């Protein structure tokens, strides 16, 4: 080959939805530039290369849910010089990680043995990989060199990350929150009521917190360019928490949001905290499987979920 | 140790160890052909069961499908095929995960079941929670949702036709696996590839502008759509749709010609790969309808046997468990006799079920399809043809929606959850998708059940694997033709992410067993 050596790329997806791979295609026309600079090798969704050739870079999306996922993760680590944890599931467990509060048996019951439209009465038990006890983020199983959160990360971040790899520089890892690109203005209001997503029609210019909507934009890393609050939908934290929340034991989604929201509205801080605990499974869905969130001393997600389910 | 006997039963060619990794020399550092290994286990066989030999065929993983899986082939002592199946090896358990969450989050959370068809889950969930709340969204919201969805269809069917199946169609079933991918397509047919990628891009951009995001849209919520369409956006969307309409005919011609060329080169595809199944798809006054409508069931000779609403799905559709796979197949249960029927969903099933598409170009294509292949068609390779027809339908329908004056109206209705159950469906690109929730008076999910497209095709997929193994693998040693098994699976465009809501991934591996015992599972590794 006379041209400059292409960068070898292996890609894999573990327990996730595949959206992080579709998002790569969503760099649209620029995909052709990238294809010109890299050699895509193992990538089950695109190529027919079944083994794991040596690669400069490995992109792994998805968390570890089964023993098979663990094995594949190890294959990627062994074959790739650098491994990138790609997307929220790989980094924090993502939505599959919201199974944290449930045992493997409970999951198998819900899907197979106590499922309303399933007439058989057994769970699969031969030829399938056993479930791990919990959903495990990638870096608890293999070493990870870089992280790109997002559910999925917006194409702008993906393109920069891939370009950085091609150019041999560090990607621009901005630390802004979703608020940074949100066009709404934070104003003090007299709002007294906490609202759900479907509750009324939000004012298009005013911060959702000011209007009583529990938007997680201020505690969520921007890897999305803020589409949700811009369209009138609360941020649900899909790119995972900010570094501050991850690294400081006394900071947490509910305390940070409650502090901010109680200053912006007439809703008492304690009421907001209590409401977010009751809805803990929704608010912490994306990152609860991560030790950085799950092992905070005040994070009692199993208790909160159990209480909500008992009341049902 | 790559060795094969092309005609008879496997030859005695070496030794096997149950635990030993497969022969290292049969693998290469770079992409090599898939390996057919013939190994002899006679020295290990029990005295009661003299073995003529054992054969291990490995495709691991099945590639260019959405998720991870492997295939097993069960051989008798004489090397003949007993059974074959697709093992889906991932389980996430959304039925459990969703319980305890807020109902109004379902459109956002369930999109994460599948990054390949998130818009389908986004909309099915929106409709189901509205059904539980007894709310009908305003007409503008329904139109915007359908527009979002047409964008999604354009993206998804283009991806399936040109990126996942494209390499088989454009480069050939037996092309070198090292180049049998989208990069190879770009090199072999750069102009077509560019236009195909552009068409996919246009679909995804429409999906993104209406849905707020491409993968995992966010704007559909209980009661409608979160925003109102302004003139600027409408103008941009109209431009994109017109561009897609201009690209459509050429790309559709290429895709159809390539498909027919492959069929000509491999006549057994039309002749042997036939699964006479019932069909299920959505109709509205007999016409194609992807966002909403009545479920129609047609038997294998073309008689409409049933029409029902999604809310009654649990009276008609029944799941069962295979002990060797996380994916549950679904059968249609006949009213009265209670007999369970094999059925298919997805583009081919829909094309079979509808009386007409309802848009001009798509109806012309449908007429040609029916002239050539009849109604209903059962050849699995025709799934791709059906996708071509739906692709142009989606573009034409998007234009109709943008021209509908009702799109400018109110987009939100008020919603209150007072406790209740909601069931709703959409036609996902790969087939009927049903969401079923029970919601308490606090607005919390107390139970969730999901029937996704690929699991309804599962029984048909397993039949197709058997047919492909018979026509292209058993008794032959041509490595390239192992791709035929994968091609057969790809015809269904299976989505294992969806399938592993209760399933997740789908590269594939083939395990051969003999006399009921796994001979060996060979993973090709570096």
């Amino acid at each position: 080959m006379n041209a400059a050596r292409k960068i070898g790329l292996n890609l894999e997806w573990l327990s996730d939805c595949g959206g992080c791979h579709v998002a790569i295609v969503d760099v649209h026309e620029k995909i052709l530039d990238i294809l010109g600079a890299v050699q895509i090798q193992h990538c089950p969704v695109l190529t027919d290369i079944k083994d794991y050739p040596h690669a400069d870079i490995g992109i792994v999306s998805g968390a570890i849910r089964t023993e098979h996922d663990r094995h594949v993760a190890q294959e990627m680590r062994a074959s790739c010089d650098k491994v990138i944890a790609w997307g929220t599931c790989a980094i924090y467990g993502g939505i599959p990680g919201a199974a944290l509060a449930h045992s493997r048996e409970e999951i198998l019951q819900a899907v197979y043995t106590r499922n309303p439209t399933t007439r058989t009465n057994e769970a699969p038990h031969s030829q399938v990989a056993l479930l791990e006890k919990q959903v495990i983020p990638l870096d608890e199983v293999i070493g990870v060199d870089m992280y790109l959160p997002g559910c999925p990360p917006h194409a702008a971040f993906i393109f920069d990350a891939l370009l950085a790899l091609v150019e041999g520089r560090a990607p621009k890892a901005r630390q802004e929150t979703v608020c940074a690109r949100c066009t709404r203005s934070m104003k003090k209001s007299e709002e007294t009521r906490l609202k759900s997503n479907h509750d009324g029609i939000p004012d298009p210019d005013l911060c959702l917190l000011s209007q009583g909507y529990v938007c997680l934009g201020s505690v969520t890393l921007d890897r999305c360019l803020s589409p949700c609050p811009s369209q009138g939908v609360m941020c649900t934290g899909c790119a995972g928490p900010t570094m501050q929340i991850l690294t400081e034991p006394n900071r947490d989604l509910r305390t940070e949001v409650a502090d901010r929201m109680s200053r912006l509205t007439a809703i008492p801080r304690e009421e907001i905290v209590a409401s977010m605990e009751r809805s803990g499974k929704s608010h912490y869905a994306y990152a609860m499987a991560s030790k950085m969130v799950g092992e905070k001393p005040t994070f009692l997600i199993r208790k909160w979920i159990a209480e909500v389910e008992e009341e049902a | 140790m790559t060795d094969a006997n092309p005609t008879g039963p496997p030859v005695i060619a070496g030794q096997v160890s149950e635990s030993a990794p497969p022969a290292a020399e049969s693998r290469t550092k770079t992409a090599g052909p898939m390996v057919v290994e013939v190994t002899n286990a006679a020295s290990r066989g029990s005295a009661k069961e003299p073995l003529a030999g054992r054969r291990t065929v490995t495709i691991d993983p099945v590639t260019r499908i959405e998720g991870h899986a492997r295939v097993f082939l069960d051989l008798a002592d004489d090397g003949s095929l007993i059974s074959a199946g697709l093992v889906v090896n991932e389980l996430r358990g959304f039925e459990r995960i969703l319980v305890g969450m807020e109902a109004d989050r379902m459109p956002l959370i369930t999109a994460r079941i599948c990054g390949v068809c998130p818009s389908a889950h986004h909309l099915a969930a929106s409709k189901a929670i509205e059904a539980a709340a007894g709310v009908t969204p305003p007409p503008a919201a329904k139109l915007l949702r359908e527009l979002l969805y047409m964008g999604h269809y354009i993206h998804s069917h283009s991806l399936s036709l040109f990126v996942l199946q494209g390499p088989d169609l454009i480069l050939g079933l037996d092309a070198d696996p090292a180049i049998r991918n989208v990069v190879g397509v770009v090199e072999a047919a750069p102009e077509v590839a560019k236009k195909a990628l552009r068409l996919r891009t246009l679909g995804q951009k429409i999906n993104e502008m209406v849905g707020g995001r491409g993968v995992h849209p966010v704007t559909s919520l209980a009661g409608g759509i979160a925003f109102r369409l302004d003139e600027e956006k409408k103008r941009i969307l109209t431009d994109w749709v017109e561009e897609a309409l201009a690209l459509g005919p050429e790309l559709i011609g290429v895709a159809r010609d390539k498909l027919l060329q492959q069929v000509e080169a491999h006549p057994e595809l039309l002749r042997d790969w036939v699964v006479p199944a019932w069909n299920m798809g959505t109709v509205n006054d007999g016409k194609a309808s992807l966002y909403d409508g009545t479920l129609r069931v047609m038997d294998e000779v073309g008689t409409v046997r049933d029409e029902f609403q999604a809310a009654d799905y649990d009276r008609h559709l029944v799941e069962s468990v295979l002990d060797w796979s996380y994916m549950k197949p679904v059968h249609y249960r006949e009213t009265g006799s209670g007999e369970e029927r094999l059925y298919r969903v997805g583009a081919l099933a829909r094309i079979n079920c509808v009386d007409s598409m309802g848009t001009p170009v798509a109806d012309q294509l449908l007429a040609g399809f029916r002239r050539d292949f009849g109604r209903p068609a059962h050849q699995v390779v025709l799934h791709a043809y059906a996708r071509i027809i739906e692709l142009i339908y989606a573009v034409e329908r998007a234009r109709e929606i943008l021209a509908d004056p009702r799109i400018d109206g109110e987009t939100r209705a008020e919603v209150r959850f007072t406790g209740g159950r909601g069931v709703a469906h959409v036609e996902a690109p790969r087939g009927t998708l049903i969401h079923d929730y029970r919601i308490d008076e606090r607005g919390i999910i107390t139970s969730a059940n999901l029937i996704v497209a690929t699991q309804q095709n599962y029984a048909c997929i397993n039949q197709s694997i058997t047919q492909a193994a018979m026509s292209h693998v058993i008794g032959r040693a041509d490595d390239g033709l192992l791709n035929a098994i994968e091609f057969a699976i790809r015809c269904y465009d299976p989505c294992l992410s969806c399938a592993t809501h209760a399933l997740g991934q789908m590269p594939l591996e083939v395990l051969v067993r003999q006399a009921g015992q796994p001979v060996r599972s060979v993973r090709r590794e570096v």
Side-chain angles (χ1 to χ4, degrees):
Chain A
M1 209 171 6
N2 294 327
R5 192 184 75 89
K6 289 187 172 188
I7 291 171
L9 198 59
N10 284 353
L11 299 96
E12 261 292 358
W13 89 37
L14 310 178
S15 183
D16 69 354
C17 70
C20 285
H21 284 236
V22 176
I24 296 175
V25 190
D26 281 352
V27 302
H28 301 312
E29 296 75 16
K30 293 177 184 163
I31 192 78
L32 295 174
D33 301 342
I34 293 167
L35 289 177
V38 302
Q39 180 78 41
I40 296 180
Q41 304 173 149
H42 182 93
C43 178
V45 76
L46 280 186
T47 71
D48 286 345
I49 296 173
K50 314 283 180 179
D51 54 6
Y52 294 85
H54 170 263
D56 301 283
I57 307 286
I59 287 178
V60 183
S61 69
I64 314 290
R65 172 74 266 188
T66 66
E67 292 174 354
H68 175 72
D69 295 331
R70 180 185 289 271
H71 170 79
V72 168
Q74 286 161 346
E75 291 282 358
M76 285 293 282
R77 181 68 270 181
S79 64
C80 304
D81 292 344
K82 279 202 164 58
V83 168
I84 310 176
W86 192 263
T88 296
C89 291
I91 300 170
Y92 304 111
I95 294 293
L100 182 76
H102 313 300
S103 66
R104 288 175 286 199
E105 290 67 32
E106 277 180 86
I107 289 168
L108 294 173
Q109 279 172 5
V111 179
Y112 301 110
T113 54
R114 291 188 196 163
N115 178 280
T117 47
T118 302
R119 63 162 164 73
T120 46
N121 192 29
E122 62 169 351
H125 52 79
S126 73
Q127 298 204 48
V128 290
L130 293 178
L131 299 184
E132 296 277 352
K133 204 170 162 201
Q134 296 294 346
V135 170
I136 310 166
L138 188 63
D139 67 1
E140 290 179 33
V141 171
I142 61 167
V144 165
D145 302 290
M146 279 187 259
Y147 299 84
L148 179 61
C151 185
H154 189 278
F157 294 93
I158 289 178
F159 185 66
D160 178 62
L162 295 177
L163 202 63
L165 294 173
V166 170
E167 293 172 353
R169 62 169 169 85
K172 299 172 200 149
R174 293 184 304 111
Q175 295 297 322
E176 288 160 342
T177 69
V178 170
C179 293
R181 285 173 189 271
C182 176
T183 52
R184 294 166 180 272
S185 53
M186 275 186 171
K187 280 187 194 146
K188 173 79 179 151
S189 78
E190 295 310 311
E191 183 60 58
T192 57
R193 200 167 64 84
L194 280 170
K195 295 175 197 159
S196 313
N197 224 338
H198 61 276
D199 210 343
I201 297 165
D203 178 295
D205 303 317
L206 191 59
C207 170
L208 291 167
L209 292 179
S210 308
Q211 304 183 58
Y213 295 100
V214 183
C215 175
L216 297 189
S218 65
V219 287
T220 301
L221 191 67
D222 169 28
R223 289 293 179 268
C224 56
L225 308 183
S226 316
C228 296
S230 307
Q231 306 276 352
V233 180
M234 298 181 281
C235 170
T236 54
C238 74
T242 55
M243 285 306 283
Q244 274 187 333
I245 285 174
L246 290 173
T247 52
E248 294 181 30
N250 295 324
R251 294 190 142 177
D252 188 75
L253 299 182
R254 65 193 190 287
T255 57
E256 292 295 296
V257 169
D259 282 349
R260 202 164 282 125
M261 196 171 183
S262 59
R263 285 197 301 270
L264 284 167
T265 63
I267 307 168
R269 184 182 180 282
E270 293 66 37
E271 188 184 328
I272 301 165
V273 169
S275 161
M276 287 185 71
E277 288 179 359
R278 266 198 315 278
S279 303
K281 201 174 187 184
S282 299
H283 291 306
Y284 290 86
Y286 291 93
M288 68 169 82
S290 162
K291 284 184 174 166
M292 287 184 287
V293 173
E295 292 191 350
K296 281 183 192 285
T298 59
F299 183 71
L300 306 173
I301 190 74
R302 286 189 179 84
K303 175 171 167 279
W304 304 335
I305 291 174
E307 284 170 1
V308 166
E309 292 197 12
E310 270 164 30
E311 286 167 25
Chain B
M1 136 145 194
T2 299
D3 193 353
N5 178 347
T7 52
V11 294
I12 294 174
Q15 65 194 46
V16 71
S17 153
E18 297 280 346
S19 57
E25 62 269 33
S26 68
R27 303 183 213 121
T28 54
K29 283 268 175 189
T30 54
M34 280 170 287
V35 176
V36 177
E37 285 180 287
V38 178
T39 56
N40 164 37
S43 60
R44 301 173 52 87
S46 90
K48 281 184 293 183
E49 295 175 344
L51 294 176
R54 288 175 172 174
R55 178 168 159 152
T56 302
V57 183
T58 302
I59 306 176
D60 172 25
V62 174
T63 43
R64 285 186 284 123
I65 56 174
E66 291 123 4
H68 285 208
R70 64 177 191 269
V71 162
F72 72 85
L73 306 178
D74 251 349
L75 304 188
D77 282 352
D78 63 0
S80 62
L81 186 67
I82 300 171
S83 67
L86 178 73
V87 177
V88 176
N89 202 11
E90 188 72 38
L91 171 74
R92 288 175 295 165
F94 270 85
E95 287 89 335
R96 188 68 191 88
I97 290 171
L98 299 177
V99 172
M101 288 184 171
E102 291 160 311
D104 66 17
R105 296 293 178 93
M106 290 303 104
L108 302 176
I109 299 279
T110 61
R112 271 76 183 185
I113 289 172
C114 182
V116 182
C117 60
S119 306
H121 289 278
H122 186 56
L123 298 180
S126 302
K127 289 173 63 180
I129 58 178
E130 282 164 357
V135 170
T136 306
K142 287 188 185 176
L143 286 169
L144 283 169
R145 284 179 183 176
E146 195 181 350
L147 179 61
L148 180 166
Y149 207 37
M150 292 307 102
H152 178 65
Y153 257 82
I154 296 167
H155 143 74
S156 177
H157 276 3
S158 300
L159 188 76
S160 171
L161 284 167
F162 298 107
V163 177
L164 303 179
Q165 269 201 313
D168 296 316
L169 300 179
I170 290 171
L171 305 170
L173 270 183
D174 32 20
D176 176 359
I179 60 148
R180 198 173 54 211
N181 55 52
V182 67
V183 182
V185 171
V186 170
E187 281 165 11
E191 280 314 302
V192 171
K194 247 188 195 164
K195 286 177 181 170
L197 288 172
R198 178 64 186 163
L199 185 60
R200 190 210 71 88
T201 286
L202 290 167
Q204 188 74 322
K205 280 177 182 281
I206 294 167
N207 181 107
E208 182 173 356
M209 183 163 280
V210 185
R213 304 180 80 195
V215 177
H216 303 328
V218 297
T219 56
S220 178
L221 35 70
I225 284 273
F227 73 101
R228 287 180 70 162
L229 191 64
D230 60 35
E231 285 306 312
E232 172 67 4
K233 279 188 175 173
K234 199 194 237 182
R235 189 189 56 74
I236 296 170
L237 287 163
T238 305
D239 287 349
W240 286 339
V241 169
E242 292 305 321
E243 189 186 341
L245 274 170
L247 282 173
E250 181 189 343
L251 284 174
I252 281 164
V254 170
R256 192 180 49 183
D257 294 348
K258 292 289 175 187
L259 177 69
L260 296 177
Q261 279 168 24
Q262 283 304 315
V263 167
E264 233 165 71
H266 301 268
E268 63 281 6
L269 297 184
L270 275 181
R271 192 185 61 224
D272 300 339
W273 292 16
V274 179
V275 178
W278 289 28
N279 300 275
M280 186 168 83
T282 300
V283 295
N284 196 347
D285 285 337
K287 289 188 197 136
S289 181
L290 301 172
Y291 169 72
D292 209 7
T294 302
L295 285 162
R296 175 181 279 185
V297 177
M298 173 183 277
D299 68 16
E300 74 279 11
V301 295
T303 310
V304 173
R305 300 292 287 254
D306 198 359
E307 286 195 357
F308 64 93
Q309 298 302 312
D312 293 327
Y313 83 103
D314 53 358
R315 299 219 319 261
H316 301 283
L317 307 183
V318 53
E319 299 177 280
S320 55
V321 174
L322 300 170
D323 66 16
W324 43 265
S325 176
Y326 280 127
M327 181 154 70
K328 294 183 283 185
V330 186
H331 287 83
Y332 172 78
R333 184 188 274 153
E334 255 188 288
T335 315
S337 74
E339 208 164 319
E340 289 182 16
R341 300 289 185 176
L342 176 77
Y343 74 105
R344 75 169 68 81
V345 294
L348 182 59
R350 290 189 290 255
I351 293 296
N352 284 335
C353 284
V354 299
D355 300 326
S356 71
M357 297 302 294
T359 60
V361 181
D363 269 327
Q364 277 173 29
L365 285 169
L366 180 65
F369 178 89
R370 289 201 168 143
R371 195 175 53 237
D372 293 342
F373 305 107
R375 178 190 185 195
H378 296 298
Q379 296 93 329
V380 299
V381 291
L382 297 178
H383 274 280
Y385 202 140
R387 243 168 256 135
I388 292 169
I389 298 172
E390 288 191 336
L391 180 56
I392 195 70
Y393 164 81
V395 182
E396 292 185 294
R397 179 70 191 130
R399 177 150 75 172
E400 283 179 5
I401 294 167
L402 277 164
D404 190 325
R406 291 175 300 170
I407 201 168
D408 297 320
E410 267 308 317
T411 57
R412 298 279 298 264
E414 231 173 281
V415 173
R416 267 179 59 97
F417 293 109
T418 53
R421 180 181 177 199
V423 182
H425 88 293
V426 294
E427 283 294 329
R430 290 150 196 83
T432 312
L433 167 67
I434 300 166
H435 282 211
D436 173 3
Y437 303 108
R438 284 177 201 277
I439 301 170
D440 69 14
E441 65 287 346
R442 300 169 300 169
I444 301 292
I445 298 288
T446 57
S447 77
N449 197 34
L450 307 160
I451 304 265
V452 302
T454 296
Q455 63 175 126
Q456 297 167 83
N457 278 333
Y458 196 11
C460 289
I461 290 173
N462 285 337
Q463 282 205 11
S464 291
I465 291 170
T466 302
Q467 291 173 350
M470 296 297 287
S471 67
H472 285 80
V473 176
I474 301 297
R476 298 169 74 155
D478 187 335
D479 291 355
L481 294 178
L482 268 178
N483 182 44
I485 291 186
E486 296 182 87
F487 177 69
I489 296 168
R490 264 175 232 132
C491 286
Y492 294 89
D493 191 18
C495 177
L496 298 195
S497 301
C498 275
T500 66
H501 66 274
L503 3 157
Q505 317 176 6
M506 174 152 190
L508 189 120
E509 152 189 23
V510 175
L511 171 71
V512 178
R513 296 183 303 198
Q514 194 154 18
Q517 294 301 310
V519 176
R520 201 168 81 178
S521 164
V522 182
R523 291 184 54 86
R524 303 203 313 133
E525 291 154 24
V526 178

